[in-house]
Amino acid sequence: MRDVAGDDAITSRYVWEVIVSIIRSYGYEEIGLPLLESTELFSRGVGQATDIVEKEMYSFEDRNGKSLSLRPEGTAGCVRACIEKGLIFNQTQRLWYEGPMFRYERPQRGRYRQFQQIGGEIFGVPGPAADAELIQMASSMWLQFGIEHDVSLEINTIGSSAARASYRAALVEYLEPYKAELDGDSQRRLETNPLRILDSKSSKTQHILEAAPTIEEYLDDEAREHFEGLESLLNEMELPYIINPRLVRGLDYYTHTVFEWVTDSIGAQSTICAGGRYDGLVEKLGGRTTPAAGFAIGMDRVVLACEAAQSKMGEKIQYSSVDVYCTVLETRFMGWMLKVAQRLRTDMPGLRVRVDTGGGKLGNQLKRADESGARWALIVGEDEVDENCITVKWLRTDRGQSSVSVDSLVAILEGSRA
Ligand code: HAM
């Protein structure tokens, strides 16, 4: 579990802001969800035989002896909340949530025991348009971060639960004679969760799988139609994808579409966003049958991918927490500067204005202005106060500096925002 400070904190917040504004632009509404849920929610929802429930949850008994768990993911809790609040009965619902998730995994770069997700879930839409729109939404995030060339989309269908049950039986029958040659995890999964053997990292296991039956052979017409529908929407939107017949995902609730975005820029923990359709989960958790699909973005990994893209371009972190940095030549002008700064915040909502309240030499203040990543420094001295002007210094371009009237300051900053 990490502390996130300095540049990491700035980049994380920037990534958060971009993702949240894109999710909102698709008409998704926020839902706040608790960090603690009953353990049973996850064993029923995510699946008893999954790695998450078997060995990764932080579970404990509360004072009444009820088993609770820190949420390892958001979908089960979101579905529970929707059922309890009657949010998905006979209506389409698009929801997003965010916050920390907890998994007792072996920590490494990009894999933490507390990590941040932003998730989006859509309820009530059975067709592939919902899946395609989720994919489009994520891809517009990568574009916004400039990492679109560093990521690729893998998709697959795992069909209906009936198709999966027949496939599961066929896979077990095929693998049984090779049991002794499989890696340890796969031997165990042969009994508990055989589909997960498909994404085993062992090359020997992968070699054995080469001749194994594929889910494709077990799909019914409905599953094929759904997947073809998704493919044609992705083609029409010109969103490139790879069909990965081995992609099954580690959570049991999926049906039909599953997808993952992977990147080779951040090391072994390469999936930055994952999701799929889960038409049976609402019913399984006590609601009425409701088609549903969603994804979760691994925020920590997206931050790593953004940082990797920047260092590839040889750029310093460009995400800053400040737009305008205000300096004064002498402390007696501080009151005047504080007023101008406040006016800017009011007239340009969202603009981040920092006043160097520390004072000292102008040179030192401007150095701090530069380090803050601000685009503009404002400088105030006697002449400026006398003439109701302000000196604007462009910190990221070669435009230099000029003295402008306070009344025209907003227009000038707006004009040079790009
Ligand atoms: P997931 O694949 O378990 O799916 O997690 C989604 C993403 O969270 C992963 O692709 C990864 O980026 C990030 N992630 C997972 N574990 C860690 C970790 N230990 N450290 C850092 N990042 C991590 C779900 O959680 C589903 N609820 C997604 C979903 C929503 N499906 C439908 N709706």
Side-chain angles (χ1 to χ4, degrees):
M1 295 180 186
R2 302 179 305 149
D3 300 308
V4 180
D7 283 349
D8 279 346
I10 293 171
T11 311
S12 297
R13 185 49 74 192
Y14 171 79
V15 165
W16 184 91
E17 279 168 3
V18 168
I19 290 179
V20 168
S21 77
I22 290 178
I23 292 200
R24 286 195 182 126
S25 77
Y26 279 73
Y28 278 63
E29 286 171 28
E30 184 172 7
I31 183 166
L33 300 167
L35 266 58
L36 278 177
E37 297 276 1
S38 75
T39 301
E40 201 215 336
L41 174 72
F42 301 113
S43 48
R44 268 209 291 160
V46 174
Q48 189 63 55
T50 57
D51 284 351
I52 292 180
V53 171
E54 255 184 5
K55 50 188 190 191
E56 293 172 3
M57 287 210 295
Y58 286 88
S59 304
F60 63 95
E61 284 187 359
D62 73 4
R63 288 168 193 274
N64 262 332
K66 180 175 161 55
S67 179
L68 300 179
S69 295
L70 281 170
R71 60 182 186 187
E73 62 101 52
T75 308
C78 185
V79 169
R80 175 204 53 70
C82 286
I83 296 170
E84 279 174 19
K85 292 201 161 299
L87 291 177
I88 45 181
F89 180 60
N90 266 350
Q91 55 184 317
T92 304
Q93 195 67 254
R94 291 173 165 81
L95 299 169
W96 71 271
Y97 52 83
E98 51 118 11
M101 309 289 160
F102 302 84
R103 296 184 194 174
Y104 189 82
E105 292 189 89
R106 195 168 48 78
Q108 64 181 93
R109 186 173 147 84
R111 185 164 68 192
Y112 313 106
R113 290 181 172 172
Q114 174 176 333
F115 58 98
Q116 292 290 122
Q117 281 187 349
I118 293 186
E121 315 285 356
I122 171 164
F123 299 97
V125 181
D131 319 13
E133 196 192 49
L134 286 163
I135 288 172
Q136 182 196 36
M137 178 160 38
S139 92
S140 69
M141 295 168 186
W142 319 142
L143 196 66
Q144 182 81 27
F145 293 128
I147 57 170
E148 72 276 18
H149 300 300
D150 305 329
V151 299
S152 55
L153 168 65
E154 297 188 0
I155 62 172
N156 191 24
T157 177
I158 53 172
S160 62
S161 47
R164 238 174 16 266
S166 335
Y167 175 56
R168 182 189 152 117
L171 189 65
V172 172
E173 195 183 315
Y174 169 83
L175 287 173
E176 208 52 79
Y178 300 103
K179 187 170 178 183
E181 294 161 60
L182 297 175
D183 60 281
D185 266 350
S186 298
Q187 287 186 7
R188 193 173 46 80
R189 285 178 173 149
L190 198 54
E191 258 100 69
T192 55
N193 202 349
L195 294 195
R196 285 308 304 284
I197 298 175
L198 295 177
D199 53 27
S200 160
K201 299 271 181 288
S202 146
S203 53
K204 201 164 169 205
T205 302
Q206 280 302 334
H207 181 68
I208 295 168
L209 283 168
E210 272 165 24
T214 64
I215 184 88
E216 241 267 288
E217 304 155 37
Y218 293 83
L219 296 178
D220 56 19
D221 288 347
E222 191 205 331
R224 267 180 231 284
E225 223 171 88
H226 188 98
F227 198 58
E228 281 163 17
L230 173 64
E231 280 192 74
S232 77
L233 287 166
L234 295 179
N235 293 338
E236 206 170 322
M237 293 191 288
E238 294 177 39
L239 291 175
Y241 57 88
I242 299 157
I243 298 176
N244 175 358
R246 300 244 187 277
L247 181 66
V248 287
R249 309 271 302 121
L251 303 93
D252 278 356
Y253 47 63
Y254 291 107
T255 53
H256 297 290
T257 311
V258 288
F259 57 84
E260 288 191 356
W261 253 279
V262 290
T263 174
D264 54 15
S265 73
I266 58 169
Q269 298 306 313
S270 56
T271 307
I272 58 170
C273 170
R277 179 160 283 281
Y278 52 95
D279 290 341
L281 184 61
V282 177
E283 194 179 359
K284 195 165 191 186
L285 295 180
R288 305 227 183 159
T289 315
T290 308
F295 64 34
I297 297 149
M299 299 295 285
D300 310 77
R301 295 182 190 174
V302 174
V303 169
L304 288 176
C306 289
E307 288 172 350
Q310 285 186 342
S311 57
K312 204 164 75 186
M313 290 185 298
E315 276 179 24
K316 183 175 169 290
I317 298 287
Q318 54 191 218
Y319 314 132
S320 74
S321 51
V322 182
D323 300 308
V324 182
Y325 197 98
C326 306
T327 65
V328 289
L329 271 169
E330 290 173 49
T331 46
R332 64 191 166 108
F333 307 121
M334 184 54 82
W336 199 86
M337 187 77 260
L338 286 168
K339 273 200 300 190
V340 172
Q342 190 54 24
R343 187 168 154 190
L344 273 181
R345 294 187 192 100
T346 312
D347 291 350
M348 294 177 74
L351 191 75
R352 296 155 313 164
V353 184
R354 182 185 293 173
V355 178
D356 189 316
T357 42
K361 284 189 187 142
L362 182 65
N364 290 341
Q365 294 183 54
L366 288 174
K367 195 165 161 240
R368 290 196 286 269
D370 192 42
E371 285 165 359
S372 76
R375 260 182 284 179
W376 305 278
L378 303 185
I379 306 166
V380 168
E382 186 137 26
D383 294 348
E384 282 84 0
V385 171
D386 285 350
E387 289 159 36
N388 203 28
C389 281
I390 201 136
T391 297
V392 180
K393 185 172 164 56
W394 278 264
L395 296 171
R396 311 285 153 216
T397 66
D398 51 13
R399 202 167 150 181
Q401 61 181 57
S402 57
S403 178
V404 305
S405 76
V406 169
D407 289 335
S408 62
L409 184 58
V410 168
I412 285 170
L413 297 189
E414 288 281 11
S416 65
R417 222 172 184 179

